[in-house]
Amino acid sequence: MRYSSSRKADTRKRILREAAYRFRRNGVEGTGLVPLMKALGLTQGGFYAHFESKGALVQASLEEALAQRRERWRDLGHDELAAFLADYLSKRHRDNPGEGCPLPSLAAEMGLRGNPSAATDEVVTQLAERLAGCALRPDDNGRGLVVLAALVGALSLSRAVSEQELSNRILEAVRLALQPGN
Amino acid sequence: MRYSSSRKADTRKRILREAAYRFRRNGVEGTGLVPLMKALGLTQGGFYAHFESKGALVQASLEEALAQRRERWRDLGHDELAAFLADYLSKRHRDNPGEGCPLPSLAAEMGLRGNPSAATDEVVTQLAERLAGCALRPDDNGRGLVVLAALVGALSLSRAVSEQELSNRILEAVRLALQPGN
DNA sequence: TGTACATCAGTGAACGCGCGTTCACTGATGTAC
DNA sequence: TGTACATCAGTGAACGCGCGTTCACTGATGTAC
């Protein structure tokens, strides 16, 4: 059955959003195409009208996730920094990986599975540049990369430990250490 | 066929070591029991004489990986710190996840899959304590956690990016920033 | 304007595959007599 | 010391399952005449 002309683009976008959510929440390997399509009220066969393979979806949805996130740091200046850090290192971000930054969720899996993507380089470079203003020591070279590494590591660890109190301490310690002025 | 009395313990240890290697290298989901046993010259059925399930192996091999690593920071004092950081943030560590720290490889997967383990808490707490001496700002509270987060994040990111030059810059920037005296 | 046809997003059954796990079995060793 | 038997680490076929992908098909829509 053929649908209205804009429907294909709509469906593609719906698949992309759902995938971007699921990959971050359950990992790439932990996300199957059949349940994903079913969640959208579609069947698995229709997937290939929109994407060549699961790999192509991974690439596209990584970019989708980055695009969603990019707005958050697009106009990141010195004044917005504290708020940005508090948000990134919040319990909400920790407890909702599906809507969060893809780096803590997916960097390890991408690295181990030999799935490096130019999109990852782009987000690392761009985010590090924005963060450079909040360096631990403002004259450090590559200070933005250090801040980014601390953010990504803090989120990963805060999700992996079993004691909630330890998890909170990780987030709080990193937030305090990266606070502008520190 | 029954074997010599010490053989069972030997085999168990061989499974554990191989699993600790493979989980860090390919992730838990990316590691199958059949290829694992085959690599040891055994068949899949024999696995269950040693472990109750794959999940039990994951727990045990995480502890195995941590035990392997623990020696490296057992006697970590101020003098050994620079060497420890250089080793942790080395290209060798980045390029050989199977022999490295399990946190950058597995923290995200453990966190997402709801597989939190007391063993993870233990390594995070202990390693953070040892690292406290090399804080970015020695009077920071939880400074060891911050250093650990930066280390783990740096390794994860350095493995995930596609440009080798960017990967090297991440490791180097974090190493410089964490250098004792900085 | 009305009719015939081409398009193609989406269906749903089927494919081969690797997964974790089960289980009846084997046979060299340790133990009991 | 020699024989009979119990043990149990390891074998290998089989299980049900979900995976990514293929493919013949459907049928509402857009287009051509």
Side-chain angles (χ1 to χ4, degrees), chain A:
Chain A
M1 51 214 104
R2 197 179 189 186
Y3 299 100
S4 68
S5 61
S6 67
R7 173 138 178 184
K8 185 178 185 184
D10 273 20
T11 302
R12 191 189 137 96
K13 196 161 279 179
R14 286 205 305 142
I15 296 174
L16 217 41
R17 286 178 112 75
E18 185 67 21
Y21 175 79
R22 290 183 172 232
F23 287 152
R24 280 176 287 179
R25 188 188 168 99
N26 302 319
V28 172
E29 288 223 291
T31 300
L33 296 184
V34 175
L36 186 152
M37 293 298 279
K38 192 173 230 168
L40 297 171
L42 298 168
T43 52
Q44 70 271 29
F47 173 80
Y48 294 89
H50 300 280
F51 298 96
E52 206 185 282
S53 65
K54 187 185 184 183
L57 177 66
V58 171
Q59 289 302 319
S61 79
L62 183 58
E63 282 163 37
E64 163 73 15
L66 297 177
Q68 275 176 33
R69 277 257 128 198
R70 201 172 281 125
E71 298 158 27
R72 299 197 177 225
W73 73 72
R74 188 175 293 277
D75 303 313
L76 186 62
H78 193 268
D79 292 347
E80 291 80 36
L81 203 49
F84 175 84
L85 292 176
D87 178 55
Y88 198 102
L89 294 164
S90 67
K91 292 170 192 170
R92 186 166 54 82
H93 191 189
R94 176 192 67 194
D95 298 334
N96 296 281
E99 285 118 29
C101 178
L103 293 175
S105 311
L106 297 177
E109 194 178 0
M110 291 298 185
L112 293 181
R113 303 304 249 154
N115 222 331
S117 139
T120 308
D121 293 39
E122 201 191 318
V123 66
V124 168
T125 307
Q126 287 187 10
L127 189 42
E129 276 171 19
R130 310 283 172 166
L131 289 167
C134 97
L136 306 152
R137 302 179 46 100
D139 53 335
D140 273 354
N141 196 12
R143 57 203 184 276
L145 290 173
V146 178
V147 174
L148 180 58
L151 290 176
V152 170
L155 252 284
S156 291
L157 291 176
S158 76
R159 287 173 181 158
V161 297
S162 60
E163 282 286 343
Q164 178 139 157
E165 196 258 334
L166 176 56
S167 177
N168 293 344
R169 268 172 53 218
I170 294 168
L171 296 177
E172 190 60 10
V174 173
R175 198 181 62 73
L176 284 174
L178 298 185
Q179 205 76 269
N182 257 19

